[in-house]
Amino acid sequence: KKVKSSLGPVLAETLLAKLAKWEEGKKFLEKNITATKLATAFHTNPKYISELVRQYRGKKFTKYVNDLRIDHIVELLKTENKFRNYTNEALAVEGGFGSTQIFTRAFKDRVKMSPTTFIDQLENLNP
């Protein structure tokens, strides 16, 4: 079904370019990021940011940001062994999460296992 969009093609293209730069700069790691804060940084409104993410990233804003953060943590765990010794609380802080509970819930949602189980599996594969 076709989604009705209030974003014109020029606005969508402009905001997508800003979003890509924001992703590349890992600005999603900033704590307490919201669609409103991102909209302010992009000189637009939160409704457009939410719509853009929903249309072009296929997710609601919070899930989109959490998934970016979890992907970042997973990459750190795979490539830098020191992070495997971090507590869930420390990993949550590293990923920009406001709480350990939100981090572990988002991790399980994205990776389908707890951070501890994931680290154990990495250790068994690459001791």
Side-chain angles (χ1 to χ4, degrees), residues 4-8 10-16 19 35-36 38-40 42-57 59 61:
K4 185 172 185 276
S5 175
S6 55
L7 298 172
V10 174
L11 178 59
E13 192 174 314
T14 301
L15 292 177
L16 279 171
L19 192 64
T36 301
L38 192 58
T40 300
F42 287 5
H43 307 291
T44 190
N45 70 54
K47 180 180 178 236
Y48 288 166
I49 293 297
S50 294
E51 189 172 326
L52 183 82
V53 169
R54 197 168 36 256
Q55 275 189 271
Y56 292 93
R57 298 298 189 260
K59 303 171 186 176
F61 185 79

Side-chain angles (χ1 to χ4, degrees), residues 114-125:
S114 72
T116 306
T117 302
F118 182 77
I119 291 168
D120 287 346
Q121 286 190 2
L122 282 176
E123 289 295 322
N124 289 335
L125 291 173

Side-chain angles (χ1 to χ4, degrees), residues 2-121:
K2 184 79 173 147
V3 177
K4 185 172 185 276
S5 175
S6 55
L7 298 172
V10 174
L11 178 59
E13 192 174 314
T14 301
L15 292 177
L16 279 171
K18 289 181 179 184
L19 192 64
K21 191 172 183 179
W22 181 80
E23 290 171 356
E24 288 168 21
K26 299 195 184 300
K27 299 285 190 188
F28 53 83
L29 295 174
E30 292 174 9
K31 205 170 181 179
N32 300 321
I33 191 72
T34 63
T36 301
K37 288 180 182 179
L38 192 58
T40 300
F42 287 5
H43 307 291
T44 190
N45 70 54
K47 180 180 178 236
Y48 288 166
I49 293 297
S50 294
E51 189 172 326
L52 183 82
V53 169
R54 197 168 36 256
Q55 275 189 271
Y56 292 93
R57 298 298 189 260
K59 303 171 186 176
K60 290 186 176 181
F61 185 79
T62 302
K63 175 142 178 57
Y64 161 71
V65 171
N66 284 349
D67 284 355
L68 288 171
R69 290 172 170 174
I70 295 301
D71 291 348
H72 174 74
I73 293 297
V74 165
E75 191 58 31
L76 290 178
L77 290 170
K78 286 180 176 179
T79 60
E80 298 183 46
N81 288 352
K82 71 176 183 178
F83 290 101
R84 296 179 190 179
N85 297 316
Y86 280 29
T87 62
N88 284 348
E89 184 179 5
L91 289 171
V93 169
E94 190 70 34
F97 285 91
S99 79
T100 306
Q101 292 80 6
I102 293 170
F103 164 70
T104 54
R105 195 176 314 123
F107 197 98
K108 285 180 186 176
D109 181 55
R110 182 79 171 151
V111 184
K112 307 301 182 221
M113 65 182 81
S114 72
T116 306
T117 302
F118 182 77
I119 291 168
D120 287 346
Q121 286 190 2

